[in-house]
């Protein structure tokens, strides 16, 4: 009956069953998404999200980037000018596409989108 269903990742129980979009283990009560199991079986990298800059370079924590276009900043009359270097970035799962957490000289800590920076 459940020959195609994977064993439980918690207790390795073989009596798993489907309940809607979840897989359930009756032995330990663990529930997990069925879609995540299928993606892992197809060779998914474990959910590691690759973040690329404006020209396609892969970014990582601690990189130095350059802002490629002038950005408006609330409360600042000038904004962040194109060509501004930002050192020691940190990649985060931010809000509304802002996936870089950094400290910009003269502005302080802020979040940027990876589409407006270029790796140095």
């Amino acid at each position: 009956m459940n020959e195609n269903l994977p064993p439980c990742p918690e207790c390795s129980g073989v009596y798993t069953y489907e309940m809607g979009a979840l897989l359930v283990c009756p032995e330990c009560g663990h529930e997990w998404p069925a879609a995540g199991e299928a993606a892992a079986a197809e060779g998914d990298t474990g959910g590691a999200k690759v973040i690329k800059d404006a020209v396609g370079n892969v970014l990582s924590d601690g990189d130095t980037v350059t802002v490629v276009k002038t950005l408006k900043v609330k409360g600042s009359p000038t904004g962040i000018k194109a060509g501004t270097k930002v050192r020691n970035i940190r990649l985060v799962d931010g809000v509304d596409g802002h996936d870089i957490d950094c400290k910009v000289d003269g502005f302080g800590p802020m979040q940027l989108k990876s589409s407006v920076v270029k790796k140095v």
Side-chain angles (χ1 to χ4, degrees):
M1 179 167 116
N2 64 352
E3 294 173 12
N4 296 332
L5 296 177
C8 175
E10 293 291 317
C11 70
S12 300
V14 295
Y15 300 110
T16 58
Y17 63 92
E18 289 183 90
M19 185 174 68
L22 296 175
L23 294 176
V24 181
C25 176
E27 296 176 14
C28 68
H30 180 66
E31 299 176 351
W32 69 98
E37 200 61 40
E42 293 174 4
D44 190 15
T45 59
K49 184 178 174 187
V50 176
I51 298 176
K52 296 184 178 184
D53 66 1
V55 294
N57 298 323
V58 177
L59 296 173
S60 60
D61 286 343
D63 283 344
T64 299
V65 295
T66 303
V67 177
V68 295
K69 70 180 214 177
T70 302
L71 304 172
K72 294 180 182 177
V73 178
K74 269 188 182 175
S76 172
T78 58
I80 301 173
K81 299 210 188 284
T84 303
K85 275 192 177 179
V86 180
R87 292 180 181 87
N88 199 17
I89 65 169
R90 192 173 55 129
L91 303 178
V92 296
D93 189 22
V95 178
D96 199 28
H98 294 83
D99 45 13
I100 297 175
D101 197 19
C102 61
K103 189 181 289 186
V104 181
D105 290 338
F107 292 94
M110 63 177 43
Q111 290 188 341
L112 299 173
K113 291 184 178 182
S114 59
S115 61
V116 297
V117 299
K118 181 175 86 171
K119 188 173 180 178
V120 175

